[in-house]
Amino acid sequence: MTEDRPSWDEYFMDITTLVARRSTCLRRAVGAIIVKDKRVLSTGYNGAPSGVRHCGETGCLREQRQVPSGERHELCRGIHAEQNAIIQAARHGVSILGATLYCTTRPCSICARMLINAGIEKIYYLEGYADPLSEEMLAEAGIPLERIGESRNSLFREAL
């Protein structure tokens, strides 16, 4: 074993940070992965749905309407990274019951509700998000939410 070998949490967060690089959102690049038994089940990043023009082409609806971060989630062309990870698992028939979510940003309250009902058992994230209802709901549902240190691979962080 070497000192440079990442822990499992670091490894999965590094992957999550890489997934975020696929984001098409102009405001915030977010990546999410769903893991169970040390295996990646699904990945997701935020952006417009498949076959729909990206915000880079249309402009950011939230910026155009001056919507603050953490508010009015429905005023956006994009799907959140966590939602995309859940959708991809469902689309391919992969159960995520009892799995763990790794995400570059703490989930919003909409994603928290979906993660609760999808059976996610633990959430790790890198950065906070301005939506206190999310934390309250996850705590009430008994889902641990843990902020972990930055990804060790600075190349991934610089790309965001």
Side-chain angles (χ1 to χ4, degrees):
M1 298 285 210
T2 67
E3 286 181 26
D4 292 336
R5 188 170 194 223
S7 69
W8 283 108
D9 290 338
E10 290 170 330
Y11 171 73
F12 291 128
M13 196 54 76
D14 280 349
I15 294 170
T16 302
T17 306
L18 179 61
V19 170
R21 292 176 58 191
R22 291 281 306 153
S23 171
T24 60
C25 180
L26 300 174
R27 291 178 82 169
R28 175 178 307 185
V30 179
I33 66 171
I34 298 174
V35 174
K36 188 171 183 179
D37 300 326
K38 298 181 182 167
R39 302 290 179 256
V40 176
L41 302 178
S42 181
T43 68
Y45 53 86
N46 59 328
S50 298
V52 175
R53 291 179 297 154
H54 298 294
C55 297
E57 299 172 66
T58 64
C60 177
L61 181 62
R62 294 176 63 78
E63 283 193 12
Q64 292 165 4
R65 296 187 182 183
Q66 300 177 342
V67 178
S69 180
E71 297 179 16
R72 305 289 314 268
H73 300 289
E74 75 280 5
L75 294 176
C76 181
R77 296 178 61 81
I79 299 172
H80 288 189
E82 305 92 323
Q83 294 169 348
N84 265 329
I86 293 168
I87 291 166
Q88 288 305 311
R91 188 172 182 167
H92 296 285
V94 177
S95 173
I96 59 173
L97 183 65
T100 297
L101 175 85
Y102 288 82
C103 194
T104 56
T105 304
R106 188 179 71 222
C108 72
S109 56
I110 293 171
C111 290
R113 290 188 289 260
M114 293 176 73
L115 294 164
I116 291 165
N117 277 358
I120 295 296
E121 289 190 352
K122 186 162 187 172
I123 298 171
Y124 292 99
Y125 68 96
L126 283 176
E127 300 172 354
Y129 188 69
D131 189 346
L133 180 57
S134 169
E135 284 185 88
E136 293 170 23
M137 292 174 67
L138 290 167
E140 187 175 341
I143 298 174
L145 183 64
E146 185 176 332
R147 184 175 185 169
I148 61 177
E150 282 200 15
S151 177
R152 291 177 352 127
N153 191 332
S154 62
L155 290 176
F156 294 156
R157 298 297 305 154
E158 289 170 14
L160 298 177

